[in-house]
C-alpha cells in the first residue's frame, strides 16, 4: 500500500461498471481505445454488462476469450488534496481506497 495525494479532481465515469472473475468468459466487440499509450478493449461479461478492460486482462484461446484475473472497472470519485491508499496499478490507473473505505480506479496522472 502506498499513500497518494490527489492532484486533480476525478469523477467516476460509469455508475455500474463491468466486472469479471478470473476464468469468466469475455466477449470482445473489436472496439479498442488507446488511452495515454495504454490499450483498452470494449468487452461484454457473462451477465451482458459492457465496459473497457485492459488488453492484458483478456486471454484468447481456441476455446474462447477469458478473464486472466478478477477485475472491476469501478472508478473512485476524488478531489484535489485528498489522500488515498494505492494498492495496484495498470494501464495508467491506480486502484485506490479513500479514508471512508470507498475503492476504485483513479488516473495516475491525477495522483502524486
Amino acid at each position: 500500500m502506498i499513500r497518494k495525494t490527489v492532484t486533480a479532481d476525478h469523477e467516476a465515469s460509469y455508475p455500474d461498471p463491468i466486472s469479471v472473475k478470473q476464468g469468466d468468459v469475455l466477449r470482445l466487440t473489436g472496439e479498442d481505445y488507446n488511452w495515454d499509450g495504454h490499450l483498452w478493449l470494449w468487452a461484454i461479461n457473462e451477465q451482458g454488462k459492457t465496459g473497457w478492460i485492459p488488453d492484458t486482462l483478456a486471454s484468447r484461446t481456441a476455446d474462447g476469450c477469458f478473464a486472466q484475473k478478477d477485475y472491476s472497472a469501478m472508478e473512485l470519485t476524488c478531489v484535489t488534496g485528498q489522500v488515498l491508499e494505492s494498492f495496484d496499478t495498470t494501464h495508467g490507473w491506480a486502484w485506490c481506497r479513500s479514508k471512508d473505505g470507498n475503492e476504485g480506479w483513479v488516473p495516475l496522472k491525477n495522483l502524486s
Side-chain angles (χ1 to χ4, degrees):
M1 185 266 312
I2 300 170
R3 292 197 187 281
K4 300 275 188 181
T5 301
V6 178
T7 57
D9 294 357
H10 176 72
E11 187 170 335
S13 302
Y14 304 99
D16 189 24
I18 190 172
S19 64
V20 295
K21 298 286 185 190
Q22 182 177 4
D24 281 359
V25 174
L26 292 170
R27 195 173 84 214
L28 302 179
T29 66
E31 186 176 356
D32 61 37
Y33 182 68
N34 186 318
W35 185 84
D36 282 356
H38 303 279
L39 185 61
W40 292 83
L41 307 175
W42 192 255
I44 304 170
N45 69 9
E46 293 177 359
Q47 293 75 37
K49 193 173 292 186
T50 61
W52 293 109
I53 63 167
D55 67 325
T56 55
L57 180 70
S59 175
R60 295 177 182 112
T61 70
D63 296 325
C65 185
F66 303 92
Q68 291 195 50
K69 65 178 187 175
D70 293 358
Y71 177 78
S72 168
M74 178 65 69
E75 294 178 36
L76 180 63
T77 297
C78 51
V79 296
T80 302
Q82 189 174 1
V83 176
L84 305 173
E85 296 175 337
S86 173
F87 297 91
D88 190 17
T89 60
T90 190
H91 286 61
W93 293 74
W95 183 262
C96 296
R97 180 184 303 140
S98 63
K99 188 176 183 179
D100 61 6
N102 291 321
E103 294 186 13
W105 295 102
V106 177
L108 284 171
K109 65 184 179 182
N110 294 37
L111 301 171
S112 69

